[in-house]
Structure formats: C-alpha cells, structure tokens
C-alpha cells in the first residue's frame, strides 16, 4: 500500500512538472555542472600539492583553482535560481489545477468537508510541492549522480579507501531506510493537523457575530488553540525524524573522514600512497557530504511532499461536476421553462433520513407557483434538485420535459435565476455583486433592476454609488438590502425559470409589496417558483403546492386549498407564520 501511494505521488508530481520540464532540465544541467566543477577541485589540489613538494611552479594550478571556484559559485547561483523559479511554477500549476477542481465540486462534496481544511490543502499543501520539486525530484537526481561520480573519482584515487567509505555509507543507508516510513506518517499527521486548525479558525470567523453575542470567545479560543497545539506537536514530531535523518547523514560523513584519515594515514606510512593522494581523497570525503545530504534530504522531503499530495488527491476523490464552458445568458426572448417532478425520492447522504418520499407535481411555463409547508417539508430541497446541486436518488426531475441529468449543467443553470434563503453577498463592490451572474449586463439593464428592487435609493446614499465596497459577506448592507441585491442579481440573468427561496423574508411591508409586484410582473414572462410563508405572497400565486414531511399533500389555488386542504387551511389561518425550511 505504501509503495502504491509513493508511486501515485510520483505520478502526480510528474504531472505538475511536465509543463515545466524544459526549465527543469536546464536547472538540473546547471546543478550537474556545479557538481562537476566541484569534483575537479580535489584533483587540482592534489596537483598543487605535488608541485609544492617537487618545487615546481604553482601559479597555473592556483589560477585554475580560482577559475573553478568562481565558476562553481556562478553556475550554482544561476542553477539555483532556475530551479527555484521552476518550483514556484510547479506550485502555481498545482494551485490552478486544484482550485479549478474545488470550484467544480458537487455541493455534496463540499458538505462532507470543512472549508478551512480545503483552504489548507489548496495553500499550505501545494506550497510543499516547491521543496518536493527542487529537493526530491532534482535533488535526488543531481545528488545521486554527483554521489556516484564522486565515488568513481574516489575509486580512481584509491580503491582501498573507497571500500572503507562505502562501508560507512551502507550502514547509514540502513538506518535512514528505517526512519523514512516514520517521516511519512508523521508528515501526514502534521498536514492533517494544519487543515484541522484552519477548519477550527474558519468555523469561528464564519460566525464571529454569533460567537461574540454568545459570549463564547474564551471557549472558541481554547478550541482554536488546542488545534494549533496539535498542529505544533505533529510538526515537531515530523521535524524530529527529519532532523535525525539529516544528522545521520552528517555523522556518516564525519565517521568516514575519521576512518579514512586513520586508514589513509597508515597507507601513507607504509608508502602505499603519497600525502597528495590522501589529501585529495579527504577532500572528496568532505565533498561527499553535499550529495549525501542532497539524497537524504530528497528522500525525507519526498515523504513530506507525498503526504501533501495524498491530501491533495483526497480532494480530487470528492464528487465533482464535469468541466464545462461558460454559457451566455438567455436573450430574454426564449420561452419560459416547465418543471415536473415525477415520484422523486431524495436523501442527502445514505446515513441520513430521506427528505423526499415520492414528490410529484407539474409546473407549466409562465406564471407563479408557491411552495408552502412546515419546517422540514422539503421545499428548499426542490430548488436544490432543479439546480442539480444534488441528484435525486429516485424518480425524475424534468425541465422542459427533459431529465435534468441529461442537461448540460452550465446550460441548465444559465436558464435559471436563483435567490437563496440567506441571500449571500460576496466581498467586493455593489456593482460586482449585481452583475455577478450577468457580467455583460449594460447600464440600462442595471438601472431597471435597481428600480425594480428599490435599490436605486440605496445607491444614491452610498459614498461611491455602485462602486462602494460592501464588505465581507455584505456586512455593510442590511439583511433586507442583501435580499434585494440577490433578487436584482437573479433578474439580471434574464432567467427562463426564477427560483425564490424566502426571498422577501427580511423585507419591510413597503419593500415587500413592491417586490411582490415585481415578481408578479416577472411571472408574466417567465416561470417563477417561490418558497413562501407569508399569506400576502401565496394568495397571488397561480398555483400552490402544499408539502409536509417530504410529500406533496395538495396542489391548487388559495381558495381551493383553503376548502380542501386541512394543513393549508391551518397555515393560512396563522398567516403562514410557521418556521420554514
């Protein structure tokens, strides 16, 4: 299983690297050139010592030594820059790919995840690919080749001392091989804990007003701090094992140096080798530290990167929608849409109870249809199924006589204007929010939508008009203003089907009456479905669908249902002031 995971991590990394392979090859070549100039230094040093001992001129050797040192520094700096730039490009590729996938997630996939954890996977986890590219992919290749080349050069200098060195390196490899799996597990725990901390913090910031109003700052601070401490503990554990692996490599080099010095000194004493050969070999031992550290660093960093890639791939395992091109909004001259539910069953997850138990109704093109019923009746879920945020687990949902499962998702949603219960407003300006679903809308259209939703007065009061920043989640607007922005945004899409989920719940009587007239006007040209609990909204509907406990109990006009539906008559008698879902 671990091998399969590692193979998968390599494949994923190579997929991100592929677009940048040319720059990566150049960087690798420069790294190898740096190593080659370094390997030549001990040989030149041996020649210099030989010239000194034989009283020959050392100027040529000194010049060559200086050139090699300068070339080593210059080529190393250029190679390092090319590799780091390429690694940043790999991170960018990974982030583009992952964020594109996140935006295509099915709502069910988002429901099963913590937003803060998803954010951590798209930011901190992808950042680890930078080091994985330079240290693991290139570091292992160039370090491995340099290590082999160094050992070859050491063999050319003295085979006996090479065998001594290889013995020390072999023992080091065994120790590091035992540590590597531990690093992988510790790194995965560390990355998971970062995601959990992000989820805890996002939970608090997403409901900060509620937290403050409930006097829960201390409790939530303890929870966030606990998550941060868990992240710290896991990261320290991973760092401990990485440090152990790195120090083992450093210790191996020192042991090799001492051993070579002892054995080499004995060989010099017996005349088997001269002093220049021993000095050259000792320089190679010192030089051996760099490729060994590169290889060990590549292996340990790979474990960290593999853990990050595992978390990235877990996101890609979440259900997603097919990638689709943007669809232009309707021209406004298309026929309104018809909607039909045929014995629809639905549950959000297998372990949760069913929400719909055989829901059936038909809505003809044009006109307004209202959905009423107590909390938990499944009214909002009707809209979620029409939008294909979820798929029915049984039966069929039809738009224009065609199963929504057969529609292109983008084309389906392009025909729909949807106003959610909480009427979310995004960070940015008022104008950006209004044209969010119709960026090509002109000023005249925008002015009509503002007048229809009675937002023109608000625009006149704002310091920068339409270009006023509305704050995170529209915090600078009132609840009613956010609802009107959401309705205007939906109308600007020129929808063939308009879905309004409690779209007037936060409006005062004057604005509600104005918007009710606007919705009635829209119903003359399009199909309007509205979830409502106010009697004033329902009585003007062409038809009313009464739902309870995931079933349709009755369909008819207000007068017909007052006479024929006990539940509707009860709701009407209480002005539909029940809590809705």
């Amino acid at each position: 299983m671990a091998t399969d995971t590692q193979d998968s991590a390599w494949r994923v990394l190579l997929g991100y690297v592929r677009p940048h392979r040319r720059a990566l090859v150049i960087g690798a070549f420069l790294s190898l050139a740096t190593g080659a100039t370094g390997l030549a230094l001990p040989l030149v040093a041996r020649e210099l010592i030989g010239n000194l001992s034989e009283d020959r001129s050392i100027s040529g050797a000194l010049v060559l030594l200086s050139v090699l040192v300068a070339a080593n520094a210059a080529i190393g700096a250029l190679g390092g820059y090319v590799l780091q730039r390429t690694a940043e490009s790999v991170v960018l590729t990974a982030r583009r790919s992952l964020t594109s996938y996140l935006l295509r997630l099915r709502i069910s996939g988002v429901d099963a995840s913590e937003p803060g954890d998803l954010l951590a996977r798209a930011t901190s986890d992808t950042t680890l690919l930078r080091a994985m590219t330079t240290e693991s992919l290139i570091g292992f290749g160039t370090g491995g080749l340099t290590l082999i080349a160094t050992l070859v050069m050491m063999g050319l200098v003295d085979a006996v001392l090479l065998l001594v060195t290889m013995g020390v390196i072999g023992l080091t490899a065994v120790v590091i091989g035992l540590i590597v799996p531990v690093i992988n597990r510790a790194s995965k725990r560390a990355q998971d804990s970062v995601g959990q901390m992000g989820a805890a913090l996002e939970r608090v910031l997403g409901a900060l007003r509620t937290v403050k109003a409930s006097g829960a700052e201390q409790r939530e601070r303890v929870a966030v701090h606990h998550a941060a401490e868990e992240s710290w503990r896991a990261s320290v554990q991973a760092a401990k094992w990485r440090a152990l692996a790195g120090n083992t490599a450093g210790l191996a080099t020192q042991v090799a140096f001492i051993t070579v010095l002892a054995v080499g000194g004995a060989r010099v004493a017996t005349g088997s080798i001269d002093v220049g050969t021993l000095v050259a070999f000792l320089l190679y031992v010192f030089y051996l530290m760099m490729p060994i550290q590169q290889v060990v660093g590549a292996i340990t960093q790979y474990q960290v990167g593999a853990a990050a890639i595992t978390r990235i791939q877990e996101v890609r395992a979440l259900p997603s929608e097919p990638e689709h091109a943007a669809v232009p909004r309707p021209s406004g001259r298309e026929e309104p849409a018809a909607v039909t539910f045929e014995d629809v069953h639905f549950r959000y997850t297998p372990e949760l109870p069913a929400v719909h138990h055989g829901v059936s109704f038909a809505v003809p093109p044009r006109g307004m249809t209202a959905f009423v019923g107590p909390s938990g009746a499944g009214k909002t879920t009707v809209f979620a199924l029409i939008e294909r945020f979820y798929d029915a687990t049984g039966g069929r949902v039809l738009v224009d006589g065609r199963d929504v499962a057969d529609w292109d998702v983008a084309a389906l949603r392009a025909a729909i204007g949807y106003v959610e219960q909480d009427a979310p407003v995004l960070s940015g300006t008022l104008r950006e929010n209004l044209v969010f679903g119709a960026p090509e809308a002109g000023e005249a259209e925008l002015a009509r939508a503002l007048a229809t939703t009675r937002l023109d007065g608000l625009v006149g009061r704002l310091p920068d008009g339409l270009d006023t920043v509305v704050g995170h989640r529209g915090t600078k607007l009132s609840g009613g203003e956010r609802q009107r922005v959401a309705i205007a945004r939906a109308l600007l899409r020129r929808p063939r089907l308009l879905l309004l989920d409690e779209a007037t719940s936060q409006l005062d009587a004057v604005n509600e009456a104005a918007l009710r007239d606007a919705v009635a006007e829209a119903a003359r040209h399009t199909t309007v479905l509205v979830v409502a609990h106010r009697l004033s909204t329902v009585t003007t509907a062409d038809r009313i669908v009464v739902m309870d406990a995931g079933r349709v109990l009755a369909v008819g006009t207000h007068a017909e249902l007052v006479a024929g539906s006990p539940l509707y008559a009860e709701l009407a008698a209480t002005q539909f002031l029940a809590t809705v879902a």
Side-chain angles (χ1 to χ4, degrees), residues 341 344 346 348 354-357 359 361 371-385 421 501 531 545 547-552 580-581:
F341 271 50
V344 171
F346 175 74
Y348 284 99
V355 179
H356 282 175
H357 305 272
V359 171
F361 61 83
F371 291 81
V372 300
S375 176
K379 305 182 295 296
T380 295
T381 303
V382 167
F383 289 4
L385 294 177
Q421 262 187 29
D501 191 357
V531 171
V545 178
M547 298 184 67
D548 186 25
R551 292 182 172 83
V552 174
V580 295

Side-chain angles (χ1 to χ4, degrees), residues 454-510:
R454 293 201 172 188
L455 282 170
D456 43 1
L458 169 67
V459 174
R461 294 193 303 272
L462 292 175
D464 297 314
L466 286 173
D467 296 317
T468 300
V469 175
V470 296
H472 178 60
R473 297 185 180 180
T475 52
K476 295 181 181 179
L477 303 176
S478 69
E481 288 166 347
R482 288 196 295 271
Q483 278 194 317
R484 282 182 280 159
V485 168
I487 294 170
R489 182 168 57 207
L491 291 174
L492 281 169
R493 286 176 63 81
R494 299 174 183 161
R496 297 176 54 222
L497 174 62
L498 182 60
L499 308 178
L500 304 175
D501 191 357
E502 294 300 332
T504 61
S505 60
Q506 298 188 54
L507 300 183
D508 55 50
V510 174

Side-chain angles (χ1 to χ4, degrees), residues 7 11 19 30 55 116 145 167 187 214 271 309 312 346 359-360 429 504 521 549 558 560:
D7 290 344
R11 286 195 297 271
L30 290 172
D55 201 25
L145 288 174
S187 298
S214 303
I309 285 180
I312 291 171
F346 175 74
V359 171
S360 297
T429 66
T504 61
E521 176 61 25
H558 172 69
E560 292 169 346

Side-chain angles (χ1 to χ4, degrees), residues 12-101:
V12 173
L13 178 62
L14 291 174
Y16 292 139
V17 165
R18 192 169 293 113
H20 315 286
R21 57 186 180 274
R22 181 175 300 176
L24 206 60
V25 168
I26 293 173
F29 175 78
L30 290 172
S31 293
L32 288 174
T34 304
T37 56
L39 285 174
L41 290 173
L43 296 180
V44 177
R46 183 171 68 172
E47 181 184 349
L48 188 148
I49 293 172
N51 290 342
L52 281 173
S53 62
E54 296 178 12
D55 201 25
R56 293 199 301 265
S57 173
I58 62 171
S59 58
L62 282 175
V63 170
L64 182 56
L65 203 63
S66 301
V67 169
L68 286 174
V69 169
N72 185 273
I75 296 173
L78 180 60
Y81 167 74
V82 171
L83 286 177
Q84 289 298 328
R85 188 178 188 280
T86 305
E88 291 293 348
S89 299
V90 170
V91 173
L92 176 62
T93 298
R95 284 176 175 168
R96 282 175 170 172
S97 175
L98 186 58
T99 52
S100 295
Y101 192 85

Side-chain angles (χ1 to χ4, degrees), residues 214-232:
S214 303
E217 295 98 329
Q218 179 62 26
R219 294 196 306 274
E220 293 301 320
R221 182 173 65 186
V222 169
V224 172
H225 285 187
H226 175 73
E229 288 162 7
E230 285 296 318
S231 175
W232 174 81

Side-chain angles (χ1 to χ4, degrees), residues 325-500:
V327 176
R329 63 176 176 156
S331 64
R333 293 186 291 273
E334 292 90 343
E335 282 295 310
V339 178
T340 305
F341 271 50
E342 294 181 350
D343 193 31
V344 171
H345 293 73
F346 175 74
R347 66 177 71 229
Y348 284 99
T349 59
E351 65 273 9
L352 292 177
V355 179
H356 282 175
H357 305 272
V359 171
S360 297
F361 61 83
V363 177
R366 203 172 278 106
M368 183 171 77
T369 299
F371 291 81
V372 300
S375 176
K379 305 182 295 296
T380 295
T381 303
V382 167
F383 289 4
L385 294 177
I386 293 172
E387 282 271 14
R388 277 206 73 193
F389 295 150
Y390 304 92
D391 289 325
T393 51
R396 297 198 304 164
V397 178
L398 308 174
V399 173
D400 288 340
R402 182 179 169 197
D403 195 321
V404 292
D406 298 330
W407 278 76
D408 175 77
V409 174
L412 174 68
R413 292 175 184 162
I416 301 173
Y418 181 37
V419 179
E420 302 173 56
Q421 262 187 29
D422 55 355
V425 173
L426 286 75
S427 297
T429 66
L430 179 58
R431 182 191 300 276
E432 289 168 344
N433 273 278
L434 290 168
V435 302
F436 190 71
E440 69 277 22
E443 292 297 321
E445 285 184 276
L446 196 53
R448 281 196 300 272
L450 291 172
T452 299
T453 53
R454 293 201 172 188
L455 282 170
D456 43 1
L458 169 67
V459 174
R461 294 193 303 272
L462 292 175
D464 297 314
L466 286 173
D467 296 317
T468 300
V469 175
V470 296
H472 178 60
R473 297 185 180 180
T475 52
K476 295 181 181 179
L477 303 176
S478 69
E481 288 166 347
R482 288 196 295 271
Q483 278 194 317
R484 282 182 280 159
V485 168
I487 294 170
R489 182 168 57 207
L491 291 174
L492 281 169
R493 286 176 63 81
R494 299 174 183 161
R496 297 176 54 222
L497 174 62
L498 182 60
L499 308 178
L500 304 175

